[in-house]
């Protein structure tokens, strides 16, 4: 190979790597609505509802993907930051995304955990436990989507709990 061909190959290679990086690391906008179901394990209370998820998934070279956005469930809107959870013994395989739902205490200025938020790796299934929903209906509730019955909601909880 002569020098001109070698330089051209290097330039094309570098441009290719930059192009692939730009495409891969570009933030992905996510906006989903789920039909959901609120239920409690120790109570007969159950109620259909909707979950709205809006935000942006950012991929990182370290494979620690981060979703930043908001959820809205049963009239309660909350900002969330979800972090990718890797499968046991395999950092390249994702189980999904998880986060604590936090709120700032106006009196102390400290953040307090008021719930949890978990999604499947493709954002097709979602489980929320939220203190404001618990207070609203006076109990401890799971909010699962997409589901329209208590049995479907329990199946989502069981499926997402298998990989842990």
């Amino acid at each position: 190979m002569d020098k001109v061909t070698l330089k051209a190959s290097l330039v094309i290679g570098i441009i290719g790597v930059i192009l692939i990086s730009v495409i891969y690391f570009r933030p992905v906008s996510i906006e989903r609505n789920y039909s959901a179901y609120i239920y409690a394990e120790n109570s007969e209370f159950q109620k259909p509802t909707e979950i709205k998820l809006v935000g942006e998934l950012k991929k990182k070279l370290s494979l620690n993907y981060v979703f930043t956005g908001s959820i809205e469930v049963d009239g309660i809107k909350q900002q969330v930051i979800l972090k990718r959870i890797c499968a046991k013994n395999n950092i390249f395989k994702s189980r999904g995304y998880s986060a604590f739902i936090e709120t700032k205490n106006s009196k102390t200025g400290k953040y307090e955990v008021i719930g949890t938020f978990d999604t499947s790796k493709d954002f097709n299934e979602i489980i929320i436990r939220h203190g404001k929903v618990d207070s609203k209906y006076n109990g401890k509730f799971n909010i699962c989507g997409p589901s329209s019955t208590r049995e479907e909601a329990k199946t989502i909880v069981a499926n997402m709990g298998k990989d842990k």
Side-chain angles (χ1 to χ4, degrees):
M1 246 193 222
D2 63 358
K3 286 185 176 184
V4 174
T5 308
L6 183 60
K7 285 181 181 179
S9 297
L10 284 173
V11 169
I12 291 172
I14 291 171
I15 290 171
V17 168
I18 291 171
L19 186 61
I20 289 171
S21 296
V22 166
I23 292 170
Y24 181 76
F25 292 112
R26 174 178 44 104
V28 177
S29 181
I30 296 175
E31 186 170 335
R32 301 224 176 146
N33 290 318
Y34 305 87
S35 63
Y37 209 73
I38 301 173
Y39 77 95
E41 292 290 338
N42 303 329
S43 163
E44 291 302 314
F45 179 86
Q46 47 194 1
K47 178 186 175 203
T49 190
E50 267 194 33
I51 299 172
K52 184 174 184 177
L53 176 70
V54 177
E56 198 172 69
L57 179 65
K58 294 179 183 170
K59 297 178 182 178
K60 297 183 178 183
L61 188 58
S62 64
L63 301 177
N64 292 329
Y65 301 171
V66 176
F67 172 86
T68 305
S70 66
I71 56 167
E72 186 174 345
V73 60
D74 207 42
I76 300 167
K77 189 171 185 175
Q78 188 75 43
Q79 297 297 316
V80 293
I81 298 173
L82 295 171
K83 298 200 176 180
R84 181 176 183 236
I85 299 176
C86 295
K88 204 172 197 174
N89 302 324
N90 188 348
I91 63 167
F92 297 106
K93 187 175 181 185
S94 174
R95 280 194 346 223
Y97 297 85
S98 183
F100 291 112
I101 299 172
E102 297 177 324
T103 187
K104 190 172 184 177
N105 186 321
S106 59
K107 293 178 183 174
T108 64
K110 295 182 180 180
Y111 284 90
E112 298 174 347
V113 174
I114 60 169
T116 59
F117 179 40
D118 300 289
T119 70
S120 61
K121 63 183 173 184
D122 51 9
F123 291 91
N124 286 339
E125 294 180 325
I126 190 167
I127 301 172
I128 301 170
R129 292 172 188 93
H130 200 298
K132 291 181 181 177
V133 173
D134 292 350
S135 296
K136 186 175 182 178
Y137 297 114
N138 198 22
K140 295 214 177 273
F141 298 95
N142 292 323
I143 307 159
C144 304
S147 60
S148 56
T149 65
R150 184 183 194 110
E151 289 72 32
E152 288 176 0
K154 284 184 173 184
T155 302
I156 291 170
V157 170
N159 288 343
M160 288 182 63
K162 278 183 192 175
D163 298 331
K164 292 185 178 180

